[in-house]
Amino acid sequence: MILARAVCLLLFLFLAACGKDAPWNKAQGHGGSQFVTGSIGEPSNLIPILASDSSSSDISGLVYNGLVRYDKNLKLKGDLAESWEVSPDGLQITFHLRRGVKWHDGHDFTSRDVLYTYRVTVDPKTPTAYAEDFKQVQSAQAPDTYTFRVTYAKPFAPALASWGMPILPAHLLEGKDITKSPLSRNPVGTGPYIFKEWVPGQRLVLEANPKYWEGAPHLARYVYRIIPDNSTMYMELKAGGVDMMGLSPVQYQRQTTSKEFLARFNKYRYPASAYTYLGYNLRLPMFQDVQVRRAITCAINKEEIIQGVLLGMGQIAHGPYKPGTWAYKAKVDNDPAYDPARAKALLQEAGYRMGAGGILEKDGKPLSFTIMTNQGNDQRLKCAQIIQMRLKKVGIDVKIRVMEWASFLTNFIDKGKFEAVLLGWTISQDPDLYDVWHSSKTGPKELNFIHYLNPELDRLIVKGRGTFDLAKRRDCYYQVQEILAKDQPYTFLYVPDALPAVTSRIKGIEPAPAGIMHNFIKWYVD
Amino acid sequence: MANYLIKRILMLVPLLLGITLITFTVIHLAPGEPVEMQSAMSPKASAASRARLREFYGLDKPLHVQYGMWLSNLSRLDFGRSFAPDNRPVLDKIKERIPITISLNVIALILEFGLALPIGIMAAVHRDTLLDRAISVFVFVGFAVPTFWLALLCMYLFGVKLSWLPISGIHSLGSDQWSFFWRSADLARHLVLPIAIATFGSLAGLSRYMRSTMIEVLSQDYITTARAKGVRERVIIYRHALKNALLPVITLLGFSLPALIGGSVIFETIFSIPGMGQLFYQGVMARDYPLVMGILVIGACLTLIGNLLADLCYAVADPRIRHGRG
């Protein structure tokens, strides 16, 4: 009986739902000046220094401001700082703060907020992963309400960019335990959008800040829906449930080419800030020989990988920088091109001779290694398979092993127990390479896990981060790219393209080197 | 009966302790730590900041000390704080998610039993006929087709092509301003696809089980006797056989209890339902130990209670069990 009643109720609700006057029919396409976007993950904490996931920073980026930020051409410009000057010796930076900026609760923004943000970040009791850049600071002062000054022990070029860190409201946090602050769920910032609500597991809603100092954003509401599955997100895009999503190469090239889709959406394409590489464990004798590493790079057809894995939606990587940025060297002289004959010759020179079974051998040992990569990234697996096929042709035997991320890191990368890895890095806006390439970073759990030691490279990296002169820095990084191309500690494979699709209802999007989100507050609905 | 009950309840305590000890050890043995999952491969996180985070979470203490602390908190019904950067109390996180998962699973469970039992009985009564085979094919399709694939097909058909049903989530945007009636209708609309697919996927197991127990009961001597005495077939099936055939099904119902809160990871992920399955999955992937332990303890309690209830039902139905003469 209960069952029958429940079924009847459901049926009734369902029939009612099909009615023409249902509110969702009216709200179809949700129109208006509301922008809905989707995310695989849910933000973890909206106090930016306590979170390191991209969802949290997506929201924080709209709610908070830093002192500086990157403009559409990836050049630093003032945000909460109107201007700044670096002392001639490069040791001191003085920021002149913007006047008249208000926190979302109406309080004035002052240098006290900046000083608090600095202090709480370097406080040993704060569980943050972002203290490193700020620890280089020797002293910080707020000489008056709208001036903030920091002094460094030695010139540190990435310092300027590090002040892009969102500034926190001192009047709400000072003297309290930041880890238990309600601001982690209800942030109060100075940014273009005001936090409205967070429905766990479902969505976050932001509303335009009418008093924003750059002018109120045109789109009145920003809705961030949590949709943990990519296929579901794609269906939601097609059904009008979200206004924007990043497409995969297959979706971009094959599934979104219908007239109907193109009438409803605009697709964009530009290089993402990331690259994929094949890294060698340089502790192993086999990879200590630069001829072998260069031979492997010669044997790999990067263009074929881009066509096969990314359907052409990417470009060849020659080094650790994004093409088109100021530190990127377009023509790297030492970079080995695809040339299987040259690969064979190099291996001959390195002392390898063809053995039984078509595998090269030296001192009775076959030239054979395993490429490890993480589970859940289909592109990397396909890439490894193409590399395996190409290397087989020059006589190198490659095995592939796919591992769950945590055990891959803990049991293999951290312990140095790997031969070659296929992984990717995000390219940071500042070209400093210290953490990944300096030889002091080869310890356990550090990022130079391939154990690349090169005193000349170390010198250039330190020199590059020690000057604010852009031309001098560029010169250092050009040389760095030549050294990496010559030594091939990684075979740099490709820089993929970012492929967002945005509903054509939204106007005012200006693709630029920084992507499309840089002028989000200027987007509008026709 | 009271003695039996007390004995069974007392036995639950060491059992629960054993379960927590094993799960605590196992999840700590798994490679990767919460700190690492948050900061691995990040140039921003130095060894010092990692050490700071480990200390903050108490991960620098030996395992047995961590377990002791966790257990003493648990004795005060404090499940601790999540290791995710939000650092919220585990119980708050669970409370937020539990209603939707329980309602969804209760409805699915009712539908599942409501459909599977008649299907199983029908298949048993019409054993080896065309109807039986057709039913077999139908339920096995549900069993064999991957759930996520079927879900995607239905989402595409009913959501994208026909625009009849919403694709994901449990509420439409802006529904908080609608009347209670429309909000309920909206919720029902959102639940149609997930419930239909959850039910379809699990029909096979239960209906086949019902079929086989029913066939077994129908071949017993007392049924043959009843038939020989000329009792009507309907009475034989629904009064004599069904009562006995349902007994083993009680056990299955008991086992379904923990699933009520565990939810299904696949469903909740595909349909973006903010339930316990999703929370548990996120917890495991982030190595959020207190959260994982919290959900596991509640799950273990429900499993034990489910088992106990099933045993009690048996004991009521069959006096030999409670007197220890099986």
Side-chain angles (χ1 to χ4, degrees):
Chain A
M1 201 56 201
I2 298 170
L3 176 72
R5 271 189 203 157
V7 170
C8 281
L9 181 70
L10 273 177
L11 208 67
F12 171 69
L13 286 174
F14 181 66
L15 287 175
C18 296
K20 278 269 179 285
D21 51 348
W24 44 84
N25 288 331
K26 290 171 203 152
Q28 196 78 133
H30 48 71
S33 174
Q34 171 166 278
F35 182 77
V36 186
T37 182
S39 163
I40 296 277
E42 180 163 10
S44 57
N45 192 320
L46 297 178
I47 295 179
I49 56 169
L50 300 182
S52 48
D53 55 295
S54 63
S55 304
S56 301
S57 73
D58 286 348
I59 298 294
S60 300
L62 291 169
V63 173
Y64 295 95
N65 295 103
L67 291 185
V68 297
R69 69 160 182 249
Y70 284 99
D71 69 1
K72 62 177 182 178
N73 294 314
L74 297 174
K75 291 216 169 71
L76 277 177
K77 68 169 191 177
D79 196 0
L80 285 177
E82 205 154 32
S83 64
W84 65 86
E85 66 248 5
V86 181
S87 65
D89 58 4
L91 294 179
Q92 208 170 61
I93 311 175
T94 308
F95 292 98
H96 304 286
L97 307 183
R98 206 172 284 280
R99 287 160 195 258
V101 175
K102 300 256 185 218
W103 290 99
H104 294 157
D105 62 359
H107 270 74
D108 282 331
F109 158 75
T110 64
S111 55
R112 175 185 161 211
D113 299 308
V114 189
L115 195 62
Y116 167 75
T117 305
Y118 161 72
R119 285 190 180 144
V120 75
T121 310
V122 294
D123 183 347
K125 287 203 285 292
T126 309
T128 177
Y130 295 105
E132 260 347 85
D133 283 347
F134 283 1
K135 276 195 182 153
Q136 313 278 337
V137 173
Q138 208 170 38
S139 70
Q141 298 131 0
D144 64 53
T145 320
Y146 294 106
T147 310
F148 177 71
R149 183 173 298 135
V150 268
T151 312
Y152 290 81
K154 50 185 181 211
F156 181 53
L160 210 46
S162 74
W163 291 100
M165 168 77 93
I167 301 300
L168 301 170
H171 67 282
L172 295 174
L173 287 164
E174 216 159 28
K176 294 178 185 149
D177 181 356
I178 193 166
T179 61
K180 299 200 169 76
S181 167
L183 262 67
S184 63
R185 314 284 295 170
N186 289 285
V188 174
T190 51
Y193 280 87
I194 299 174
F195 175 82
K196 176 84 192 311
E197 66 164 353
W198 181 345
V199 187
Q202 294 182 62
R203 65 179 178 274
L204 287 93
V205 180
L206 309 179
E207 274 179 357
N209 176 3
K211 294 183 186 143
Y212 188 53
W213 55 270
E214 271 185 300
H218 300 322
L219 296 172
R221 265 155 72 96
Y222 176 90
V223 181
Y224 193 79
R225 286 186 61 189
I226 292 121
I227 303 172
D229 184 77
N230 235 323
S231 320
T232 309
M233 184 120 64
Y234 178 60
M235 301 253 198
E236 281 285 10
L237 182 80
K238 284 196 141 180
V242 294
D243 291 321
M244 177 172 94
M245 98 172 253
L247 301 176
S248 68
V250 177
Q251 286 167 343
Y252 189 94
Q253 281 254 316
R254 309 222 170 114
Q255 295 167 359
T256 54
T257 48
S258 67
K259 264 197 188 138
E260 190 233 335
F261 188 91
L262 294 173
R264 289 177 51 216
F265 292 94
N266 292 318
K267 295 196 281 183
Y268 300 89
R269 181 180 164 188
Y270 50 87
S273 292
Y275 66 87
T276 297
Y277 63 89
L278 178 68
Y280 309 105
N281 187 347
L282 302 174
R283 296 172 195 88
L284 303 177
M286 166 176 48
F287 292 125
Q288 273 166 4
D289 189 342
V290 63
Q291 308 255 54
V292 173
R293 303 196 302 262
R294 286 184 69 83
I296 293 174
T297 304
C298 284
I300 295 172
N301 186 348
K302 297 180 190 176
E303 194 53 50
E304 170 189 60
I305 293 176
I306 290 167
Q307 292 305 327
V309 177
L310 303 177
L311 306 176
M313 313 264 101
Q315 53 189 305
I316 292 179
H318 300 286
Y321 296 125
K322 182 170 154 178
T325 52
W326 65 268
Y328 176 76
K329 190 174 186 207
K331 173 109 187 57
V332 182
D333 301 327
N334 291 322
D335 195 31
Y338 170 58
D339 185 353
R342 173 106 186 95
K344 282 182 188 162
L346 280 168
L347 290 168
Q348 280 270 326
E349 277 173 42
Y352 284 95
R353 299 288 171 265
M354 195 54 80
I359 302 300
L360 291 166
E361 283 178 2
K362 185 178 169 182
D363 306 328
K365 280 190 195 147
L367 184 50
S368 160
F369 64 91
T370 302
I371 296 178
M372 278 191 183
T373 191
N374 61 304
Q375 195 186 41
N377 190 323
D378 196 37
Q379 287 184 352
R380 286 185 191 160
L381 177 62
K382 283 182 188 152
C383 190
Q385 286 163 341
I386 294 175
I387 292 174
Q388 181 182 43
M389 178 269 293
R390 279 288 157 199
L391 293 189
K392 182 89 207 270
K393 290 193 171 159
V394 296
I396 304 174
D397 174 44
V398 171
K399 294 180 187 71
I400 298 170
R401 193 164 170 198
V402 182
M403 306 278 306
E404 189 266 335
W405 183 239
S407 80
F408 177 46
L409 290 182
T410 318
N411 298 337
F412 298 92
I413 297 284
D414 290 348
K415 294 182 178 151
K417 280 200 218 157
F418 63 94
E419 290 174 319
V421 288
L422 195 80
L423 288 174
W425 285 119
T426 303
I427 305 171
S428 72
Q429 311 288 23
D430 189 89
D432 181 32
L433 297 174
Y434 194 83
D435 293 302
V436 180
W437 291 104
H438 196 270
S439 42
S440 66
K441 293 287 177 183
T442 49
K445 295 186 196 265
E446 289 191 302
L447 302 183
N448 187 352
F449 54 82
I450 60 160
H451 217 260
Y452 179 61
L453 312 169
N454 184 329
E456 177 60 9
L457 194 89
D458 289 353
R459 191 186 65 79
L460 287 165
I461 288 174
V462 171
K463 193 176 161 201
R465 65 179 353 212
T467 173
F468 283 88
D469 185 328
L470 219 61
K472 280 188 192 153
R473 282 194 89 187
R474 179 184 287 139
D475 183 49
C476 289
Y477 298 131
Y478 274 19
Q479 290 181 59
V480 162
Q481 286 166 80
E482 288 294 349
I483 293 176
L484 289 178
K486 190 170 132 241
D487 271 4
Q488 294 289 313
Y490 287 176
T491 294
F492 294 92
L493 296 167
Y494 60 78
V495 174
D497 283 340
L499 306 165
V502 187
T503 169
S504 46
R505 201 166 58 84
I506 303 283
K507 312 281 184 219
I509 301 173
E510 265 180 54
I516 57 168
M517 290 301 284
H518 63 91
N519 69 336
F520 181 70
I521 65 167
K522 302 278 182 223
W523 290 11
Y524 62 97
V525 177
D526 217 358
Chain B
M1 187 69 188
N3 272 347
Y4 173 74
L5 190 65
I6 292 167
K7 229 165 47 187
R8 285 298 316 262
I9 290 175
L10 282 180
M11 264 168 64
L12 292 185
V13 179
L15 208 55
L16 196 62
L17 266 180
I19 292 174
T20 62
L21 182 65
I22 293 169
T23 45
F24 193 89
T25 318
V26 167
I27 62 169
H28 278 80
L29 279 180
E33 272 194 346
V35 173
E36 223 161 277
M37 306 312 287
Q38 284 168 33
S39 62
M41 294 287 185
S42 160
K44 297 274 174 218
S46 67
S49 52
R50 274 204 196 100
R52 215 193 301 179
L53 280 169
R54 292 194 79 222
E55 196 192 320
F56 178 76
Y57 292 134
L59 292 167
D60 51 343
K61 299 187 176 70
L63 203 56
H64 63 273
V65 177
Q66 289 183 44
Y67 179 68
M69 281 162 59
W70 179 82
L71 209 58
S72 90
N73 283 342
L74 187 70
S75 63
R76 294 189 297 271
L77 280 184
D78 174 8
F79 285 71
R81 280 176 174 270
S82 162
F83 280 179
D86 59 6
N87 199 229
R88 293 172 66 214
V90 166
L91 220 48
D92 283 4
K93 285 186 136 180
I94 293 178
K95 268 193 235 156
E96 240 162 46
R97 306 278 189 140
I98 226 169
I100 181 69
T101 301
I102 290 192
S103 355
L104 211 139
N105 282 303
V106 166
I107 300 173
L109 198 69
I110 293 173
L111 281 178
E112 201 183 296
F113 274 80
L115 290 172
L117 299 191
I119 288 176
I121 296 166
M122 216 172 4
V125 173
H126 302 278
R127 191 182 172 184
D128 294 333
T129 62
L130 190 66
L131 182 72
D132 181 25
R133 286 193 193 115
I135 289 173
S136 297
V137 169
F138 176 72
V139 296
F140 275 101
V141 164
F143 188 61
V145 170
T147 313
F148 71 92
W149 187 69
L150 190 67
L152 287 178
L153 282 187
C154 290
M155 283 156 95
Y156 183 71
L157 179 65
F158 297 110
V160 179
K161 279 282 146 197
L162 300 170
S163 299
W164 286 358
L165 292 169
I167 292 170
S168 66
I170 51 169
H171 294 294
S172 298
L173 286 177
S175 62
D176 37 356
Q177 278 148 32
W178 300 345
S179 66
F180 176 75
F181 171 78
W182 285 117
R183 262 184 291 142
S184 316
D186 184 48
L187 179 67
R189 240 161 59 90
H190 277 84
L191 294 186
V192 171
L193 276 185
I195 289 179
I197 287 165
T199 310
F200 186 52
S202 45
L203 272 186
L206 192 58
S207 64
R208 296 306 285 182
Y209 190 68
M210 187 66 217
R211 179 184 178 272
S212 65
T213 50
M214 194 69 185
I215 286 172
E216 203 185 306
V217 173
L218 284 177
S219 62
Q220 303 256 325
D221 290 345
Y222 71 93
I223 298 287
T224 319
T225 315
R227 280 200 178 119
K229 279 178 156 180
V231 181
R232 276 189 305 150
E233 194 62 18
R234 275 182 74 86
V235 177
I236 292 175
I237 292 167
Y238 292 106
R239 193 168 301 162
H240 300 298
L242 186 58
K243 221 165 82 184
N244 286 319
L246 275 178
L247 259 182
V249 177
I250 293 174
T251 327
L252 282 190
L253 201 59
F255 281 138
S256 308
L257 267 192
L260 288 187
I261 73 127
S264 157
V265 174
I266 298 178
F267 273 107
E268 297 187 357
T269 306
I270 293 182
F271 289 105
S272 310
I273 294 167
M276 293 287 284
Q278 213 187 71
L279 187 69
F280 185 65
Y281 180 71
Q282 288 164 355
V284 171
M285 291 324 273
R287 303 293 190 270
D288 188 345
Y289 302 146
L291 182 67
V292 173
M293 286 305 293
I295 297 175
L296 281 177
V297 166
I298 296 178
C301 286
L302 282 184
T303 312
L304 294 177
I305 293 171
N307 253 333
L308 182 69
L309 285 181
D311 284 355
L312 287 181
C313 292
Y314 267 152
V316 171
D318 189 345
R320 286 173 303 177
I321 294 172
R322 59 177 179 261
H323 294 304
R325 286 179 266 126

